[in-house]
């Protein structure tokens, strides 16, 4: 039975479970379904080489998870999984394509960015609620001290997606007065995750800190030396299986060098991404397929990053 047939079967089971009066039986059904849609479901998506197919399928999986939450609102694992899906969908299928629209499509781009921001926060809120339920704590996003807790290494996945979702929402619109107070909390969450497991996710935390240190001015802790270090660690830990470190370096470190050398390095990074063999690493096929398209666009739009010829 393929994944989508499995999902449809599970969907029927959910509604049967919901109709059963026994709360314990209902929760057992939810647990069984959420387990089936967990890592195995994510692998089915991440290995796909058809972004459009995944784009059309993910909303169904997200809404299915929200049904599970309605059935068992205290299940912090389902909330974490749902938040993660929202953030992945927003990043891959809303913010990334929005960033590649032409200038004359600014209205559509603005609408897509607004939607991406909302979905990032929706996902982040689920991840926040997951941690709150698990540890019976209250996290106030406007106060970074409330995010500090004696978390465990097993929480790094939730912490990473929580912080990444918040930071993505904030960076889409740095002038948003509602999101601005959350910035320090988002950064603190990422540092907490890095303290617990700096090598998590084949180097994704190092990718984040590569962009963080390259984007910040020196007066606020920015450092190209640290950015270079995290770039190398991201490549090392990913085993060269991902395009994203090249794109992160090209778009954050290279433009700091507004020179012919900076342009040459920018082109070199993106050419590595474009020549990348997507099928060599099937576990990252979806992400690499989308990032390869992005690399082509970035190379064609070099003027967005460099003010010199």
């Amino acid at each position: 039975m393929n994944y989508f047939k499995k999902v449809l079967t599970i969907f029927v089971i959910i509604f049967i479970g919901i109709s059963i009066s026994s709360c314990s039986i209902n929760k057992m059904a939810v647990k069984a379904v959420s387990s089936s849609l967990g890592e195995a479901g994510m692998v089915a998506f991440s290995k796909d080489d058809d972004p459009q197919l995944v784009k059309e399928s993910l909303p169904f999986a997200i809404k299915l998870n929200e049904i599970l939450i309605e059935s068992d609102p205290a299940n912090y694992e389902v909330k974490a999984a749902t938040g993660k899906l929202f953030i992945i969908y927003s990043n891959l299928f809303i913010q990334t394509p929005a960033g590649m629209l032409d200038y004359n499509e600014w209205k559509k781009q603005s609408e897509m960015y607004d939607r991406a921001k909302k979905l990032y926060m929706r996902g982040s809120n689920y991840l926040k609620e997951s941690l709150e339920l698990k540890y019976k704590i209250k996290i106030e996003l406007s106060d970074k001290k409330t995010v500090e807790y004696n978390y465990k290494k097993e929480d790094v996945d939730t912490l990473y997606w929580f912080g990444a979702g918040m930071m993505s929402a904030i960076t889409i619109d740095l002038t948003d007065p509602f999101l601005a107070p959350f910035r320090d909390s988002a950064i603190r969450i990422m540092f907490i995750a890095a303290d617990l497991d700096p090598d998590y996710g084949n180097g994704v935390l190092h990718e984040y800190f590569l962009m963080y240190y390259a984007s910040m001015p020196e007066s606020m802790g920015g450092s190209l030396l640290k950015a270079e270090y995290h770039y190398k660690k991201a490549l090392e830990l990913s085993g060269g299986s991902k395009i994203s470190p090249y794109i992160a370096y090209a778009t954050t470190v290279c433009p700091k060098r507004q020179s012919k050398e900076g342009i040459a390095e920018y082109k070199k990074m993106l050419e590595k991404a474009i020549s990348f063999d997507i099928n060599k690493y099937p576990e990252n096929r979806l992400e690499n397929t989308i990032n390869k398209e992005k690399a082509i666009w970035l190379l064609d739009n070099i003027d967005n990053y460099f003010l010199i010829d």
Side-chain angles (χ1 to χ4, degrees):
M1 181 182 293
N2 64 34
Y3 177 72
F4 297 106
K5 287 183 180 178
K6 184 176 181 181
V7 169
L8 289 173
T9 303
I10 289 169
F11 191 69
V12 174
I13 293 172
I14 292 173
F15 282 100
I16 293 173
I18 290 173
S19 68
I20 297 173
S21 59
S22 169
C23 181
S24 60
I25 294 176
N26 189 30
K27 287 185 177 180
M28 286 172 62
V30 170
K31 190 171 184 179
V33 173
S34 62
S35 177
S36 298
L37 289 174
E39 289 304 313
M42 290 305 299
V43 169
F45 285 125
S46 65
K47 284 186 173 182
D48 208 300
D49 64 352
D50 188 335
Q52 186 64 28
L53 177 62
V54 177
K55 178 183 178 181
E56 293 169 355
S57 305
L58 262 181
F60 177 81
I62 290 171
K63 293 309 295 183
L64 189 56
N65 271 27
E66 289 196 309
I67 292 171
L68 296 177
I69 290 172
E70 289 292 327
S71 302
D72 187 7
N75 191 323
Y76 65 85
E77 292 177 331
V78 177
K79 286 200 172 186
T82 306
K84 183 175 177 179
L85 285 175
F86 267 113
I87 291 164
I88 291 171
Y89 180 78
S90 185
N91 179 263
L92 294 182
F93 302 114
I94 305 177
Q95 184 182 6
T96 296
M100 294 189 285
L101 291 176
D102 292 332
Y103 288 117
N104 59 6
E105 295 183 277
W106 62 269
K107 186 175 181 180
K108 180 181 179 181
Q109 183 182 65
S110 178
E111 290 171 350
M112 291 177 71
Y113 279 150
D114 283 344
R115 184 175 179 228
K117 183 168 63 173
K118 289 176 183 176
L119 294 185
Y120 278 135
M121 289 309 300
R122 190 164 165 180
S124 295
N125 284 333
Y126 275 128
L127 290 151
K128 178 176 79 74
E129 290 170 9
S130 173
L131 292 169
E132 291 175 330
L133 281 168
K134 182 176 181 179
Y135 291 108
K136 296 178 172 57
I137 58 176
K138 183 63 179 176
I139 298 172
E140 297 292 343
L141 295 178
S142 58
D143 181 3
K144 71 175 181 178
K145 290 182 180 179
T146 69
V147 308
E148 296 176 356
Y149 186 78
N150 189 28
Y151 298 110
K152 301 173 184 177
K153 189 175 181 178
E154 66 190 44
D155 301 314
V156 172
D157 187 67
T158 301
L159 289 165
Y160 167 76
W161 288 102
F162 180 21
M166 287 177 60
M167 283 305 300
S168 296
I170 293 164
T171 54
I172 281 178
D173 184 3
L174 295 172
T175 63
D176 188 327
F178 174 75
L179 294 178
F182 303 161
R183 178 183 169 276
D184 287 345
S185 289
I187 293 171
R188 181 62 192 137
I189 289 165
M190 299 303 271
F191 275 105
I192 291 171
D195 287 341
L196 288 169
D197 185 5
D199 297 343
Y200 157 79
N202 296 326
V204 293
L205 278 166
H206 288 286
E207 282 187 48
Y208 168 78
F209 286 111
L210 151 63
M211 294 183 286
Y212 172 77
Y213 285 115
S215 301
M216 297 288 285
E218 287 188 15
S219 60
M220 296 179 67
S223 167
L224 287 183
L225 191 63
K226 289 182 179 179
E228 293 272 3
Y229 165 79
H230 287 291
Y231 165 68
K232 291 175 183 176
K233 287 296 292 184
L235 280 182
E236 174 191 334
L237 292 168
S238 69
S241 66
K242 296 167 66 180
I243 289 175
S244 50
Y246 301 125
I247 291 179
Y249 190 95
T251 56
T252 58
V253 175
C254 296
K256 291 285 184 177
R257 306 179 179 117
Q258 290 289 317
S259 62
K260 291 182 179 179
E261 290 74 19
I263 292 175
E265 193 171 34
Y266 177 90
K267 290 180 177 178
K268 179 182 176 182
M269 289 291 162
L270 294 177
E271 284 164 359
K272 284 183 179 180
I274 293 167
S275 64
F276 193 92
D277 183 359
I278 289 172
N279 293 316
K280 187 176 180 180
Y281 304 97
E283 69 277 11
N284 297 324
R285 191 179 285 125
L286 174 67
E287 177 188 346
N288 285 334
T289 298
I290 292 171
N291 278 329
K292 191 167 188 175
E293 293 174 1
K294 184 176 181 179
I296 293 170
W297 183 89
L298 287 168
L299 195 57
D300 289 341
N301 291 269
I302 192 170
D303 291 345
N304 289 358
Y305 291 89
F306 292 90
L307 301 177
I308 64 170
D309 294 329

